[in-house]
Structure formats: structure tokens, C-alpha cells
Amino acid sequence: MLKNYLKIAIRNLQRNKVYALINIMGLALSMSCGILIFALVKYHLSFDNFHQNADRIYRIVTEQHRDNINYTYSVPNPLGKAFRNDYTFGEKVARICTFDDQLISVKQGAEVKKFKEEEGIAFTETEFFDIFNYPLLTGDKKTALTEPNTAILTEHAAKKLFGDTNPVNQTFKLDNRIELKVTGVLKDLPANTDRKTEIYVSYPTLKAYNEWFASDDSWGGISSSMQCFTLLRPEITVAQVEKVMPDYVKKYRPNAKNVHHYKLQPLAEMHFDARFDGPMDKKNLWILSFIGFFLIITACVNFINLATAQALKRSKEVGIRKVLGSVRLQLFWQFLAETGLITVLGALIALVLAFIALPYLNTWFNTQVTINLLQDWQLSAFLAVLVSIVTFFSGSYPGLILAGFQPVLALKGKLSQQNIGGFNTRRTLIITQFAISQVLIIGMVVIANQIKYAQHSDLGFQKDAILLIPMASDTDLSTQKTLKNQFAAISGVEKVSTFFTAPASGSSWNTSIKFDNRSEEELFRVSIKAGDDQYLSTFGLELVAGRNFFPADSMRECLVNEAFVRKLNFKSPQDVIGKKLALDGGRQSGPIVGVVKDFHDQSFHQDINPICITTISGNYDTYGVKINMNNAKSIMATLEKNWTQQHPDQIYEYKFLDASIAEFYETEDIMLKLIQTFSGIAIFIGCLGLYGLVSFMVSQKTKEIGIRKVLGGSMGHILWIFGKEFSRLILIAFALAAPLAWWLMHNWLQQFKYHINIGLEVFMLAVASTFIVALLTVGYQSIKAALMNPVKSLKSE
């Protein structure tokens, strides 16, 4: 029986090639998107789920309560040691201190090879590798990181540094000053982990690298470099641990206005919690999943629409089969077999398309997603379930319609549109398709406009043609000034400044302050922009009151922004001029001599922070060089030459400020690319169905068109027969899509502190583009029908 069903299905598809092609292509495109989205979602959900006892692994994080709440995945440096010594809640406790972009040098004979470790190095307590399942291939994990100046490398890092030589007992230098001996080799880290560091240094070495991080007394501040993990004992609950955490605040930070609340974050949430810099918000995975679902629905709707439209052509076949003894159930399964064949063909093409598109997906998302049906049972099961659901969803309704034909009416050819579900059913299905397409189009337009708004709005400073050149790790004050003067002397260099962080930066130095000799710290924190006297002119920052500070190497004077003035409830910027400001626990202080106009110091996701700009040369880590772009190539070559002459044992790097700011919106850029792609696919699938449906309508109205032309009907009149039907459907779809799209995008925009308003033009663009696409799709067949010779059309009847 099944063999017979398949034979008949193949014959029917061969007879209706256009119908089969439209359905197969529609299903293939939507299912390929479904496969890619499933693989991407599964990849992200698998992050760090391979560790033993993953349900008992937690990171201690900090909520900082001031005038608002700030979240950080870091803790004060001594907290991990104190927690380990004071309580037995943790079976294992480990601190890990990570520093990015570190210089690694390896001596090979007379030659010294230099490497820049973008993922950095991590000073690690030995228990870290008891908590996490990162296997050590060579060496003893209990002793490998117990002694100072020892390190373990991943296989990849060992290969990069030492080639094919056995790395154990080999040495390399960190930052040109700390010699480290390799005591073990880790198995390469899997792709689905947030831990990317490949060089792990013993924690006792941290003191030689940075004494503040190694200190057991540095409770005063938090750096994003320091993290603390624990493996809780099986009987211990999160509530038990968090109940005792306030004791550390009372003991070590009793008078701080920045009140710390230490919490436990489960391992399973680390990849997804945006508050603590989780790289993938689950909200984005839900958005992608719904888009994939709607694309598949669109293709299924297409199939149902075309299948019911084609049903009249098969009425006599069904009538004969019923007369010869076929029962309704047999006819239903026969049509379902045809649907299954189309779906399977679509799934096979979808797999090919998914393989072709996968490299682009991985590039966009910076992922390592793979598609392997033989090794990935979950993907195989998903595809099997998807094929089954699509087959039943797409084939059931048309199958019931066909199987329900009355044989007498079918053989006499007296079946009407009502017998196959009527035009209203197909209208509903077309409206569904158009509505989905318009929601995607509106989403695409809103995201594109928001990104354009963020990237092209006035940020309050100049960002174009400014190079950010990191200082070498061994830069002292004398070298700073020498190199700054050399840069300024280059023809085409307009301005040079030295500083810690540009006006807008992903890095920040936030601290509590005391204002005007008050005894208590203010409730709000201030972002410190340490910079020299050229900072304002290099970035084009505008003074609204007072003057710029004079050149100095330490804090003598300072500037604040308008947000700072508002936080203190002063009405005029002039009111803070001359008042003393103390930073960093009183270690730095000076009078306020000027107020700068507000500028965006972070992305448009965040509000403008209160800011203090002052001279603290010991914290400078970057040269900002404003250049004339007409001579950019020669200027940049000279900059590199001068920098390298001063630091021959370091690696020169640079980045343009505008490119650095663009990185704030990487996630939005990726989402825009995806929605553009998926919108295009949804529209294309809809056009395929529309084309097939119009072709069917033309064949059904051949006689009507011929009679109208004989009676004097114009081409425009005949075109309007088709146009008015689809125009009405597009407008109904728009009426349904617009409120839903507005609600979705309004909620999406709430993640931005500064965002566009969703204006009428967004909706007009969506409905206009849908009209244009529909017009182009319907137009060819409509014009062809209008130009048909009425003699031939009437004769064919």
C-alpha cells in the first residue's frame, strides 16, 4: 500500500512540476532556517554543561547598592580566601584573576618570539581545576600550580609557543618581566565554554604581577579581573550561603556608601545573564526560535493554500477512486504520502542549504556551531519531528478536503470553491503570511533605525579620525612624554593626548567621592576619566563653565560633567566651581575648575554617568592621536615606527575610536543581519505561494477575462480584478501585524536608555514594501492574462 501511495505521489508531482517546485522550495528555505536556529540555540544551551557536578557550581557575584543597583561578576580580592577559611559551605573554593591582551615572549636560541594573548592569562588557585572539568593531559593538577612562577598551557597554546617541542619544563616570559616554567598541559578547551583563557599561572605569582590584587586587605574596590567560584557541598543550599554573606560587608566595609550584596550565581545562568555580562541573553534565543517557528508556519500555510487551490484539478481522480471502492481514510493517507514526499525532499534540500549557510552563521555570531546528523542525535530527532509535524500540519487539511469530495459531484465536475474550503480559507492563510512578513519588516526597520541613531547621533565628542594606541607595559612617565612629543611632531597629526579610557569606552574606573569637604561619601559613584590637559581638545569636549585644568602628573585640579552637577542637585554648573573633590578614598583630591557638557560615556543602553576628568598619569594606558585622514597611511606608518623604536621588545597595536564605539552594538548588528535574512526568506516564501495562487486564479478566470474583454473591458480593469483582492488582504494583514509589531519593538527598545520613537513612517514603509513585492509577484501573471486573446480563452472553454 505504501509503495502504491509513493508511486502515485511521484506521478502527481511530475504532472504538477511548478506546484511541486514552489512547495519544495518554500519548505526547504523555512526548514533550513529551522535547522540553523535549532543548532544555534542548542549550542548556546550546551555552554558549560559538561562539568561534573555542574548543578553545584556557583560564582560569587556582587550587587552594588548606591543610588541605583549595579551588577558585577567580580568580588573584592580577599573574599574567596575569607569564604574558604571562615565557612565549610564550599567543598572547593577558587579565585581566578584574568588579565586580557598580555605580552608573552619565548626565547628560541638568539631569537625572541613575541605573542599577544588576546584572551589573556589567568592567575589561578589549584582548586579551580577541581571545580571545573578541564582535564590536564600532562602534569599533576594538585601540584602544577602550587609554586610561584609556574604555569600550565592548553595544547593549542603549547603548540603556538613551543611548536612540536615538549613544553613541560620550558620557560616563557610574561610582560617581559616574569619568567614562568611550564608544569602541565591542558586538553584544549571545548567550544561551548565561556572560559577562553589558554594560559594559567599559579596564584602565588600574582603578587609579583600586581600587589593590590594579591593583597588580603584590598576590600575597598572591585575589579572585573577577579572572580571567585565554589563547588557547594551536596547538602548546602544557596539560601544558607547568602544568609552569612552580609557579615563580610559589616566586618570589612562597615561605613561604605557603596553597599555590597554578595550573591551566588548558578553555572547554568552565567552564559545568559546580561546583568553579569552573560554573552547571550535568553531573550535573543527566544526571538530566534519564534522567527524560525513563524517561517515554518509561513511555508506550511503556503502548502495548504496551493494544495486546496489545486484540489479542483484532482476532483475527477478522487471521484473515480471512490467509485472503485476507495474509502475516505485511504484517500487521506494517499495525499499525506504526497505531502510527506514533498516534505522529505524539502528537508534534504534544507540540509544542503543549512550546510552552505553555516559558515556565515558562525562568522556572524562568532560561534563554532556544527551540523552532523550522524553524531548529533538531538538534531536528527529534531529533523525527524519537524518533517512529521510539517507533513501532518500541511497535509491534513487538504487531505480531508480531497477525501471528502462526493463522487457524483466530482465526476460531473460540479464542485465549487466552497467544496474545497472556499476563498475565505485561502484569504485567511494569505493574510497570515503577509502579517508574519510585515511583523518581520517592521522589526527590521526599527532595529536598523535604532543602530543608525546610535552610530550617527552626536555623542558629545569627536570620534572620527582618532587612533587609540595602547601604551607598552613598561612605559614610564618619561617615555610617555617622549613618545607623545614625537607623535605631535609628525606632519598630519593634529592632536595627541595620554589618558585612561577614551570618552566612550567599555572599560571604566568607578569610585566613590567626597564633595566639598563633607564627612560622608556621596551615594552615587563617579566614572574617572584620567587624562592630560590635551584630553578636551583631542576629543572636542565642550566646557560649559570654568576652564580646563593645567598640565600636571597627579591630581591638582579636575573637571566634572553636567550629570555630576545634577546628581548634587545644583541648578547651575557654576555652583560647583572651586569646590574640593576627593576620590579613591581620599587618596586623590583637588578643586573643580570646570564643567564639561554631557557626553555619552557608554553605549546608548546606559544613561550618562557622573564623570570626573583629572590628571593621574600613573593610570594612563593609551595615546589618543587625532590625524588628518588624507595622509593616514604615511602617518600611521610613522606612528608605528616611533612607538616600536621606544619599545622594540613589545607588540604595536592600534584601533580607531569609531570602530571601538561600533563594538557596543555588535549584538544589535547581528540581530539586524538575521532579521534582514529571515524577512527576505519569509517574503520570498510568500511570493512563491502568491505566484502559484495567482496562476491558479488566472486559469480559473480565463473565460471571465475573455468575456470582459469582448464586452470592452480595459487592461487596467482586468488587472484590478486581481489587484483589488490582494490589496484588501495586505491591508487586513497590516491591521493585524502593526499592533503586534509595535508592541514587540517597543519592548525591545526599552533596553536602550536613548532610543528612537516608532513613527508612522516605519509602518508606511512596511506596508508599501509589501505592496511593491506583491505587485511584482502578481503583476506578471495578471498582465499575461489581460493580454490574452479573448478568442483563444473562450475557445479553450
Side-chain angles (χ1 to χ4, degrees):
M1 184 66 75
L2 182 60
K3 185 177 179 182
N4 182 50
Y5 286 160
L6 289 174
K7 275 185 179 180
I8 295 167
I10 292 169
R11 288 172 186 166
N12 280 322
L13 295 183
Q14 287 173 339
R15 271 201 310 270
N16 300 285
K17 292 184 176 66
V18 174
Y19 162 79
L21 183 63
I22 288 173
N23 278 322
I24 290 170
M25 286 306 299
L27 289 172
L29 283 170
S30 64
M31 291 171 77
S32 64
C33 293
I35 291 168
L36 288 171
I37 291 171
F38 175 83
L40 181 66
V41 171
K42 175 178 167 292
Y43 170 79
H44 281 288
L45 293 177
S46 72
F47 260 66
D48 286 305
N49 67 355
F50 54 86
H51 299 290
Q52 295 174 359
N53 303 312
D55 60 324
R56 294 197 282 127
I57 297 175
Y58 293 84
R59 177 169 63 184
I60 304 177
V61 297
T62 306
E63 293 179 6
Q64 300 180 79
H65 291 240
R66 290 186 176 96
D67 56 328
N68 52 27
I69 301 175
N70 293 285
Y71 301 89
T72 175
Y73 55 74
S74 306
V75 292
N77 306 328
L79 180 65
K81 182 178 179 181
F83 181 70
R84 182 192 302 118
N85 294 338
D86 296 344
Y87 300 102
T88 58
F89 296 134
E91 190 175 303
K92 302 288 181 181
V93 180
R95 291 175 290 178
I96 181 166
C97 195
T98 307
F99 299 94
D100 296 334
D101 295 317
Q102 295 299 298
L103 177 68
I104 303 296
S105 51
V106 181
K107 191 171 184 181
Q108 296 181 349
E111 182 186 6
V112 177
K113 287 190 172 183
K114 295 177 289 185
F115 303 91
K116 197 77 168 183
E117 279 296 310
E118 291 185 6
E119 300 295 345
I121 55 96
F123 294 91
T124 313
E125 292 185 322
T126 54
E127 288 188 338
F128 180 82
F129 295 101
D130 295 322
I131 296 172
F132 293 99
N133 183 31
Y134 299 126
L136 197 64
L137 301 178
T138 306
D140 184 351
K141 71 177 182 179
K142 292 182 179 179
T143 60
L145 293 178
T146 54
E147 296 297 322
N149 299 91
T150 55
I152 58 178
L153 315 175
T154 64
E155 296 170 279
H156 176 261
K159 180 83 173 176
K160 181 172 70 173
L161 297 185
F162 302 108
D164 295 327
T165 307
N166 182 4
V168 176
N169 294 322
Q170 299 287 336
T171 61
F172 64 92
K173 276 193 173 181
L174 167 63
D175 203 20
N176 280 333
R177 60 191 177 95
I178 301 176
E179 188 167 71
L180 300 169
K181 183 175 76 171
V182 179
T183 54
V185 177
L186 280 172
K187 185 179 180 181
D188 278 339
L189 306 181
N192 59 332
T193 179
D194 287 320
R195 173 60 53 184
K196 304 299 181 186
T197 312
E198 296 191 291
I199 299 177
Y200 296 86
V201 181
S202 62
Y203 200 83
T205 315
L206 181 58
K207 187 173 183 180
Y209 184 85
N210 188 302
E211 286 192 14
W212 183 80
F213 280 101
S215 170
D216 290 337
D217 299 318
S218 51
W219 287 91
I222 291 182
S223 168
S224 58
S225 297
M226 179 66 70
Q227 295 185 70
C228 181
F229 296 91
T230 182
L231 175 67
L232 293 185
R233 297 186 184 278
E235 70 277 7
I236 299 300
T237 65
V238 171
Q240 286 177 277
V241 178
E242 291 185 346
K243 185 178 180 179
V244 303
M245 285 300 187
D247 295 343
Y248 289 115
V249 180
K250 294 174 185 176
K251 183 176 181 180
Y252 297 106
R253 301 175 54 87
N255 301 316
K257 293 290 185 180
N258 176 13
V259 181
H260 285 187
H261 292 241
Y262 305 121
K263 305 288 185 180
L264 295 189
Q265 182 188 30
L267 177 64
E269 293 180 8
M270 293 179 196
H271 187 68
F272 305 105
D273 196 335
R275 297 176 306 165
F276 300 103
D277 287 352
M280 177 53 70
D281 194 327
K282 273 191 176 178
K283 176 174 61 180
N284 291 331
L285 296 183
W286 278 110
I287 290 171
L288 289 175
S289 299
F290 278 118
I291 288 173
F293 172 74
F294 284 131
L295 286 175
I296 290 169
I297 290 293
T298 300
C300 291
V301 164
N302 236 19
F303 188 99
I304 295 169
N305 228 345
L306 291 174
T308 53
Q310 290 280 333
L312 283 177
K313 287 188 176 182
R314 303 186 61 179
S315 59
K316 289 187 178 178
E317 173 198 339
V318 173
I320 291 170
R321 288 182 178 279
K322 283 200 166 186
V323 168
L324 293 176
S326 291
V327 296
R328 185 169 183 165
L329 189 61
Q330 287 176 320
L331 293 170
F332 172 80
W333 284 109
Q334 178 195 320
F335 187 80
L336 216 59
E338 291 180 25
T339 307
L341 181 60
I342 291 173
T343 307
V344 169
L345 291 173
L348 293 175
I349 297 172
L351 278 172
V352 175
L353 294 175
F355 276 114
I356 294 170
L358 187 60
Y360 299 98
L361 183 82
N362 281 328
T363 300
W364 286 353
F365 278 91
N366 192 27
T367 55
Q368 297 181 41
V369 177
T370 57
I371 294 177
N372 191 326
L373 288 176
L374 298 178
Q375 295 182 2
D376 189 345
W377 69 267
Q378 291 172 314
L379 181 59
S380 300
F382 169 77
L383 190 59
V385 171
L386 181 62
V387 168
S388 302
I389 290 174
V390 169
T391 299
F392 277 95
F393 183 74
S394 301
S396 295
Y397 179 70
L400 291 171
I401 293 290
L402 278 170
F405 285 168
Q406 295 180 23
V408 176
L409 293 177
L411 291 172
K412 287 183 177 181
K414 290 187 177 182
L415 290 171
S416 66
Q417 290 292 336
Q418 284 303 120
N419 294 114
I420 59 169
F423 275 119
N424 285 335
T425 302
R426 287 198 295 284
R427 286 181 183 126
T428 302
L429 296 173
I430 291 171
I431 288 169
T432 303
Q433 282 185 312
F434 280 135
I436 291 171
S437 298
Q438 290 188 32
V439 167
L440 289 173
I441 292 170
I442 292 169
M444 176 181 67
V445 173
V446 171
I447 294 173
N449 287 348
Q450 175 62 24
I451 293 174
K452 184 179 178 181
Y453 171 70
Q455 293 179 340
H456 296 92
S457 292
D458 180 11
L459 301 178
F461 62 90
Q462 296 174 10
K463 63 176 180 176
D464 298 322
I466 296 179
L467 280 169
L468 304 178
I469 304 173
M471 293 181 182
S473 57
D474 58 353
T475 300
D476 55 24
L477 185 58
S478 173
T479 308
Q480 262 186 46
K481 293 181 176 179
T482 300
L483 205 47
K484 178 184 173 182
N485 292 333
Q486 288 180 350
F487 287 168
I490 298 170
S491 177
V493 170
E494 298 175 358
K495 294 285 182 181
V496 183
S497 176
T498 52
F499 51 83
F500 168 77
T501 74
S505 173
S507 301
S508 61
W509 171 15
N510 299 301
T511 186
S512 299
I513 62 158
K514 287 185 179 180
F515 177 75
D516 196 22
N517 296 312
R518 294 174 183 172
S519 59
E520 295 288 327
E521 291 181 342
E522 301 300 322
L523 283 174
F524 61 91
R525 64 178 183 171
V526 169
S527 176
I528 306 299
K529 301 287 183 184
D532 62 16
D533 61 304
Q534 298 300 307
Y535 190 84
L536 264 63
S537 59
T538 300
F539 294 106
L541 296 172
E542 182 182 338
L543 279 167
V544 295
R547 60 170 174 84
N548 193 10
F549 46 65
F550 294 121
D553 295 329
S554 59
M555 185 175 179
R556 296 287 183 268
E557 302 170 324
C558 65
L559 309 173
V560 296
N561 67 344
E562 293 172 302
F564 180 95
V565 177
R566 288 194 300 273
K567 279 287 187 180
L568 290 170
N569 295 317
F570 286 109
K571 293 181 179 180
S572 169
Q574 199 66 42
D575 294 339
V576 300
I577 301 296
K579 299 293 194 297
K580 184 180 178 182
L581 188 64
L583 314 174
D584 201 19
R587 286 183 283 273
Q588 306 279 352
S589 63
I592 298 170
V593 297
V595 178
V596 297
K597 187 177 181 180
D598 276 343
F599 57 88
H600 290 275
D601 60 317
Q602 301 178 93
S603 76
F604 275 31
H605 292 93
Q606 289 93 23
D607 204 352
I608 295 173
N609 284 313
I611 290 170
C612 171
I613 306 171
T614 189
T615 50
I616 308 176
S617 61
N619 290 70
Y620 298 167
D621 61 2
T622 307
Y623 301 97
V625 185
K626 186 172 178 59
I627 65 173
N628 185 331
M629 292 303 291
N630 293 328
N631 272 334
K633 190 172 181 180
S634 62
I635 295 169
M636 289 167 68
T638 310
L639 289 169
E640 181 176 3
K641 180 182 176 183
N642 290 351
W643 192 97
T644 306
Q645 284 174 348
Q646 289 289 335
H647 308 286
D649 58 347
Q650 304 269 343
I651 297 175
Y652 174 80
E653 293 179 310
Y654 72 90
K655 181 180 285 186
F656 278 99
L657 177 57
D658 55 354
S660 178
I661 293 171
E663 291 175 359
F664 290 161
Y665 307 103
E666 280 184 348
T667 301
E668 287 76 22
D669 274 327
I670 292 167
M671 291 302 294
L672 177 60
K673 288 177 183 176
L674 285 173
I675 289 184
Q676 284 174 332
T677 303
F678 293 145
S679 297
I681 291 171
I683 292 168
F684 181 70
I685 292 170
C687 289
L688 286 175
L690 203 56
Y691 181 84
L693 203 57
V694 170
S695 300
F696 173 75
M697 286 179 66
V698 168
S699 68
Q700 291 293 303
K701 290 179 178 285
T702 301
K703 185 176 180 180
E704 178 188 339
I705 292 168
I707 293 171
R708 286 180 181 273
K709 291 195 75 172
V710 168
L711 295 175
S714 66
M715 178 185 286
H717 180 74
I718 292 168
L719 289 177
W720 181 239
I721 294 173
F722 299 100
K724 67 180 180 181
E725 175 70 20
F726 293 107
S727 298
R728 188 162 55 245
L729 299 181
I730 289 172
L731 290 173
I732 294 171
F734 174 73
L736 295 172
L740 175 61
W742 180 88
W743 179 78
L744 291 171
M745 298 320 298
H746 174 76
N747 287 337
W748 180 80
L749 286 171
Q750 298 315 300
Q751 66 181 296
F752 293 90
K753 191 70 179 179
Y754 301 90
H755 58 76
I756 61 169
N757 293 316
I758 305 175
L760 189 62
E761 69 280 0
V762 172
F763 300 100
M764 292 300 99
L765 181 60
V767 74
S769 59
T770 309
F771 266 114
I772 291 169
V773 170
L775 178 65
L776 293 174
T777 306
V778 173
Y780 171 73
Q781 287 288 1
S782 302
I783 292 171
K784 184 179 174 183
L787 292 175
M788 188 182 297
N789 189 331
V791 175
K792 289 184 178 180
S793 60
L794 293 172
K795 185 179 178 182
S796 68
E797 291 290 328

